Amino acid sequence: MVLLGEQSHGDGVVFDEKVELIKYLHEHLGYNTIAFESGLYDNYKAYKEYLKDVSKISMYDESVFGIWSDTKSFHNLISYVKERAVKHDTIKILGFDLQEGSLFENYFMGDFKNMIDKHKIKVSENDLIKIEKAFVFRDLYDAVNNQKDSIDLYESFEKNLKLIEEIKNQSLDDKVLIQVFRSKIAAVSFEIQELQNQRIIVQNPRDEQMAKNLIFLGESFPKDKIICWGASYHFSKNIDQVIADDVTENYFEKLSEIEKKNTGYTDYKKNESLNLLKGALPMGGFLKGYFKDKIYSIAFSNYEGEYGLVNTKPYSILSFPVNSIENILVNKQIQKCFVELNSQDEISYYSSVFGNVPFKALWGKVFDALIFIKKTYQPEIKIYPKNNDVKVGNSYPYIKGKVYDLKYNRSIANAQVSFLSSKQNLVTNKNGEFVITISKNNIEDKLIVSGMGYLNDTIAVSKLIEKKVNYLKIGLKPYKFEGIQLDNVVISSVSKILTAEQILEKAKINIENNYYQNPYNQDFFYRTQILKKGKLTSHMEAVVKTYNENGMKGLNSPDAEIKGELFQFRNLINNGFEDINHFAFIFDRDVILSKSNVLYKTASYKLKKEGMVVENDRRVYKISFVNNDPGTYSTGYGYPAPEKSSGVVYIDASSFAVLRYEHCVVRRTYELKKEQDKNAQMKHKIVVTYKNFEGKYFMNYCYVIDKIIVTSKKDNSIISENYKVNNVMSTKIDTSNVEKIDRTLFKLDQNVNLVSDSSYWEDQNFMVQDDKIVFDFCD
């Protein structure tokens, strides 16, 4: 087992060198497995899927942490793995970390339930919920703050771990899931300790479990020769031989000053480095004790250049002490070399193998070898396929309009304006306003205007053109149920009125019938705005083409599974498009795509049937809900934990499709890390609507407001109220000519060189900007 370290996670020359070393070790010495400092489950899942279908190799982009998978180096490695696969020479990519990602969140519970069902193991529904809340949603507020809940949680872990450990004739898949279960118990314990502000020596609990996971991989694949990729700190042995002194402290102080200058914040405290490694037990020590001489640990160091996580602001390497390995090698005019270290050597030197900061040690007792490369650079970001151009067709002039309530003469927000025979539609703003472009293809079409609780209106486009209408006021008549309001009636010997719980259950059961279940592309208009102290400080608009391979199905983290490309953007205030990555989180708020809501976690909510409304001439149930157990598990919002949530869901009385979803979440007050004399609280409002396209429903519109209230600790007075406002509107759906996209939504801004196209924005149907942004929170 060869352990390839790195001094930080931002040394590009080291990444490139590791890839070359892997190729050499594979071709000349028979090494056939790479184990990353990434999730144990995530990477085993990706490997299994890759074995079934080699095109699934892109799953490693999700399973391996982004600090590596976002780099050009990693994709050179993946290209090499694909090349060898063509020659029927399979290279495994696995992981040994207890920290897991989106594959774990979306698939672990399904695999776990399949295993216990296969072996006829009875795990109570209550225990399954506890496991899912703790492992997948990391919903640990009760365990952190209540001793009884904490004891109850660990008793549940121990009971169920014992059950699965007793499985006879375990397959490799079974063994991996059991080890992952152990690993996640350790991860939960580590996180609870952190949240309780317990003193943790460096990352000892994590290192111990990573060592156990790597030992498990060694035992599970006894014939494999494994190359490990991770931080040099984790791969070090005999860490007690490493000394932090005044020279080290001086470097930390300089780095903290640079960090504060770059980011405005540093959490480093004076003289902290002197005790930084006291009591530390990295995984390398555990591995050495187990594997003895069957492991070989290699550290890396540089002398000059820049380093930094991919796609972030880089840092320059500071000059090293005279009595450092790096300085000695440079004085010998050495640009690059392999130094085999002697464990018997009793001379201490400084070296920068940890974080590009000099520590003094008997390095031969800590590592087996050092690879020195004089100059480093920040990792290069991976290259994505070039964006396609968005073509703009010729159009007639705009028609502006407003949709209002005929009875009360008030605006109807989020009303839908669409063409009868085409795929185009848009949504009115808070003032009921819209602007729509009429193309030549729409002249013989009709406009359909609809709103929840109103009768539809239909307008012939040809008449609008004939009369040269450029402003259209559309009054919708409120729908009133005459006589006795009835639920759906089934003709049988007994008719049954459905409860709110039964209606939601039917909505969940009918998701496959109502919502599109195959891969599709959908284009969205996205607007994000930030208001600070009443002033608009950021305003960006974009068009994103998405690819959903799973269809409209519930996941625990849909933001990671849906892919996309940024096609157009413009900044009306501020520069760049950094805020585009917030677009991904919108899908976590969708009641169909995300499982953290009242539809999937109904038991956490108290429901009330409020009656009926009408939408698109169809009767719709209106059901209100209040969360009895607010948390990440039921709301999708993590720390600080939610303290209350409530809302309304509208469900078609015939098909039981969810047509509209409104949710308000209030989170607990927390202390501002950078300004400890202040507290803050976050509130969130979500509105989502759905539209029927070719007989199936898709997300149509999503409106999310995040409100942050900053208060003084001294007298609880309000210092500021800041807002982030997100509008997302569907502009196009394609289910026939589906284009696969590999880029995850969190990486929309990576390697993108778009220039805002003003002509595009002048000739498209998008939401009209609100004259005044209204923050109508339900507290």
Side-chain angles (χ1 to χ4, degrees), residues 127 161 275 308 316 351 355 414 543 571 624 647 652-653 659 668 703 715:
D127 278 347
L161 177 59
N275 296 306
S316 295
S351 182
N414 311 145
V543 177
N571 273 297
S624 64
D652 188 288
L659 303 180
R668 298 178 189 277
Y703 177 60
D715 57 9

Side-chain angles (χ1 to χ4, degrees), residues 198-244:
Q198 295 185 35
R199 183 175 179 272
I200 302 170
I201 300 172
V202 197
Q203 298 184 52
N204 282 1
R206 180 180 170 218
D207 273 271
E208 182 178 1
Q209 188 58 48
M210 287 198 298
K212 289 177 179 177
N213 290 346
L214 194 49
I215 290 168
F216 167 79
L217 292 177
E219 292 174 340
S220 300
F221 301 97
K223 295 180 180 179
D224 285 14
K225 299 178 79 172
I226 302 175
I227 305 164
C228 299
W229 183 313
S232 293
Y233 168 78
H234 295 309
F235 295 160
S236 62
K237 51 190 176 172
N238 301 320
I239 197 72
D240 57 326
Q241 297 294 320
V242 180
I243 299 167

Side-chain angles (χ1 to χ4, degrees), residues 55-218:
S55 69
K56 294 286 185 72
I57 196 166
S58 61
M59 288 183 75
Y60 287 124
D61 284 353
E62 295 177 60
S63 65
V64 173
F65 293 160
I67 50 178
W68 298 298
S69 63
D70 286 348
T71 69
K72 194 173 178 181
S73 309
F74 179 80
H75 282 268
N76 288 339
L77 175 62
I78 291 297
S79 295
Y80 178 72
V81 171
K82 287 196 283 190
E83 288 170 14
R84 302 307 295 189
V86 171
K87 300 176 181 179
H88 305 288
D89 181 11
T90 302
I91 298 174
K92 295 187 187 75
I93 295 181
L94 302 172
F96 55 81
D97 207 333
L98 62 166
Q99 298 178 135
E100 302 281 1
S102 62
L103 296 181
F104 177 86
E105 291 169 356
N106 287 325
Y107 302 110
F108 170 75
M109 286 306 297
D111 286 347
F112 181 76
K113 288 174 183 176
N114 287 339
M115 179 182 73
I116 61 176
D117 288 346
K118 180 179 72 174
H119 295 286
K120 297 181 172 55
I121 295 171
K122 292 184 178 179
V123 177
S124 71
E125 188 62 31
N126 190 41
D127 278 347
L128 286 172
I129 290 173
K130 286 178 185 176
I131 292 165
E132 187 173 22
K133 285 178 82 170
F135 286 4
V136 178
F137 290 92
R138 297 161 65 189
D139 193 340
L140 304 172
Y141 181 84
D142 293 338
V144 169
N145 295 283
N146 186 295
Q147 186 178 24
K148 183 180 180 299
D149 288 331
S150 180
I151 292 170
D152 186 47
L153 181 64
Y154 282 106
E155 285 179 348
S156 172
F157 286 165
E158 290 171 13
K159 175 180 66 177
N160 290 295
L161 177 59
K162 186 177 179 182
L163 285 174
I164 59 178
E165 284 179 334
E166 291 175 352
I167 292 175
K168 291 183 172 60
N169 302 317
Q170 295 174 9
S171 67
L172 178 59
D173 289 355
D174 294 336
K175 289 176 182 177
V176 170
L177 287 173
I178 295 166
Q179 182 63 23
V180 169
F181 198 97
R182 298 186 190 105
S183 184
K184 290 309 293 181
I185 292 173
V188 167
S189 299
F190 187 29
E191 188 161 357
I192 287 175
Q193 289 173 40
E194 289 184 310
L195 291 169
Q196 291 177 334
N197 294 317
Q198 295 185 35
R199 183 175 179 272
I200 302 170
I201 300 172
V202 197
Q203 298 184 52
N204 282 1
R206 180 180 170 218
D207 273 271
E208 182 178 1
Q209 188 58 48
M210 287 198 298
K212 289 177 179 177
N213 290 346
L214 194 49
I215 290 168
F216 167 79
L217 292 177

Side-chain angles (χ1 to χ4, degrees), residues 643 666-670 680-683 707-709:
E643 62 180 10
V666 178
R667 291 159 82 178
R668 298 178 189 277
T669 301
Y670 63 98
Q681 186 180 39
M682 290 186 281
K683 298 182 179 182
K707 178 181 180 181
I708 303 177
I709 306 166

Side-chain angles (χ1 to χ4, degrees), residues 479-490 495-498 503 609 611-613 618-622 653-654:
Y479 187 90
K480 183 179 180 182
F481 286 97
E482 303 293 342
I484 300 171
Q485 181 177 313
L486 297 174
D487 289 67
N488 284 342
V489 177
V490 178
S495 61
K496 184 180 179 182
I497 296 176
L498 298 174
I503 293 167
K609 190 161 66 169
M612 289 258 190
V613 296
R618 296 173 69 87
R619 296 195 311 161
V620 177
Y621 291 111
K622 178 181 179 182
S654 299

